C-alpha cells in the first residue's frame, strides 16, 4: 500500500464513520493507556464507534497526523471533525460536552468521572509502542 | 533528557502570558497544566495544538507523552 492509498483510506474512514477513533491496538486489546482510557470513555456513552489501529504500519500514524495536524494518538473524529485526544475527551466527558458532541444523552448510570483505562491483558506503554 | 522545568520554560516562552505547571516522574511522560489568556475563544483542539507546536517533532520521541490541561485565566 502506498502513502497515497493509506491517506485515502484514512480519509474514507473519517468520512464514512460518524464516530471514529484512531488508536494503538483495538478496543478489545488497547496497547496504550491513553487509547484504553479513550475507548473506555466512549463505551460509557453507549454509542457505536469505529476504531482504526495505527500500529500495523507506522505510515498510518504519519499520514493521519499529517492530515489532522495532531501529533499524538489516540485521535477522535466526530462527523469528520477532530474532537481531540485522550485528555480532551476525558475533560469533555466530565463536563457533559462529549454527549452533546456525539449527539446522545449520557446514560443515567454513567459515572461522573471518566473511567480509568480498562484493565487489559496487553502490556501498556511499552517502549516499542512509540509508533 | 527533557525535564519538567525545561518544558515549563519552553511553554511559557512560546505562548504569550502563559503560566505552566509541569510534572514528570520519569522525564519521559509529562503532565502539564497551562493557563493563558491566548486560549480565550479557541477550541480545546486549538489550545492543545498551541502547546503541541512548542514541542514539534519531540512528541512521541524523547517526550513520549504529554498529558495536557489548558485553561483560560
Amino acid at each position: 500500500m502506498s502513502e497515497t492509498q493509506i491517506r485515502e483510506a484514512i480519509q474514507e474512514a473519517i468520512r464514512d464513520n460518524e464516530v471514529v477513533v484512531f488508536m494503538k491496538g483495538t478496543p478489545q486489546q488497547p496497547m496504550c493507556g491513553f487509547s484504553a482510557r479513550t475507548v473506555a470513555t466512549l463505551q460509557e456513552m453507549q454509542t457505536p464507534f469505529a476504531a482504526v489501529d495505527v500500529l500495523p504500519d507506522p505510515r498510518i500514524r504519519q499520514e493521519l497526523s499529517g492530515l489532522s495536524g495532531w501529533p499524538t494518538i489516540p485521535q477522535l473524529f466526530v462527523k469528520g471533525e477532530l474532537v481531540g485526544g485522550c485528555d480532551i475527551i476525558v475533560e469533555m466527558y466530565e463536563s457533559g460536552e462529549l454527549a452533546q458532541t456525539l449527539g446522545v444523552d449520557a446514560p443515567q448510570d454513567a459515572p461522573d468521572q471518566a473511567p480509568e483505562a480498562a484493565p487489559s491483558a496487553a502490556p501498556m506503554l511499552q517502549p516499542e509502542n512509540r509508533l | 533528557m527533557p525535564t519538567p522545568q525545561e518544558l515549563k520554560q519552553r511553554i511559557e516562552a512560546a505562548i504569550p502570558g502563559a503560566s505552566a505547571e509541569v510534572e514528570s516522574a520519569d522525564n519521559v511522560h509529562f503532565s502539564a497544566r497551562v493557563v493563558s489568556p491566548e486560549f480565550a475563544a479557541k477550541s480545546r483542539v486549538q489550545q492543545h495544538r498551541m502547546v503541541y507546536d512548542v514541542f514539534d517533532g519531540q512528541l512521541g520521541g524523547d517526550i513520549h507523552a504529554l498529558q495536557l490541561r489548558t485553561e483560560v485565566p
Side-chain angles (χ1 to χ4, degrees), chain A residues 54-66:
Chain A
V54 303
L55 292 178
D57 187 329
R59 295 176 302 171
I60 302 172
R61 178 168 178 177
Q62 279 167 24
E63 294 300 324
L64 173 64
S65 289

Side-chain angles (χ1 to χ4, degrees), chain B:
Chain B
M1 212 179 238
T3 62
Q5 188 60 24
E6 185 195 326
L7 266 69
K8 172 185 163 68
Q9 284 167 357
R10 287 177 61 190
I11 292 168
E12 291 179 350
I15 301 175
S19 96
E21 293 162 23
V22 184
E23 291 173 8
S24 177
D26 55 10
N27 287 351
V28 181
H29 303 88
F30 294 87
S31 167
R33 177 171 169 267
V34 185
V35 182
S36 168
E38 286 291 303
F39 294 147
K42 291 192 168 71
S43 71
R44 284 206 184 82
V45 165
Q46 290 169 322
Q47 293 171 0
H48 282 221
R49 243 184 215 140
M50 285 170 68
V51 181
Y52 286 154
D53 285 348
V54 178
F55 305 106
D56 194 22
Q58 275 182 289
L59 290 172
D62 55 355
I63 301 174
H64 177 79
L66 176 62
Q67 192 189 341
L68 198 54
R69 187 168 188 103
T70 49
E71 288 169 28
V72 179

Side-chain angles (χ1 to χ4, degrees), chain A residues 4 20 37 45 59 63 70 81 87 89 96 101-102 107 116:
Chain A
T4 309
V20 57
R37 193 169 191 204
M45 305 307 297
R59 295 176 302 171
E63 294 300 324
W70 195 258
E81 292 285 331
D87 297 330
I89 290 155
T101 301
L102 292 169
E116 294 300 321

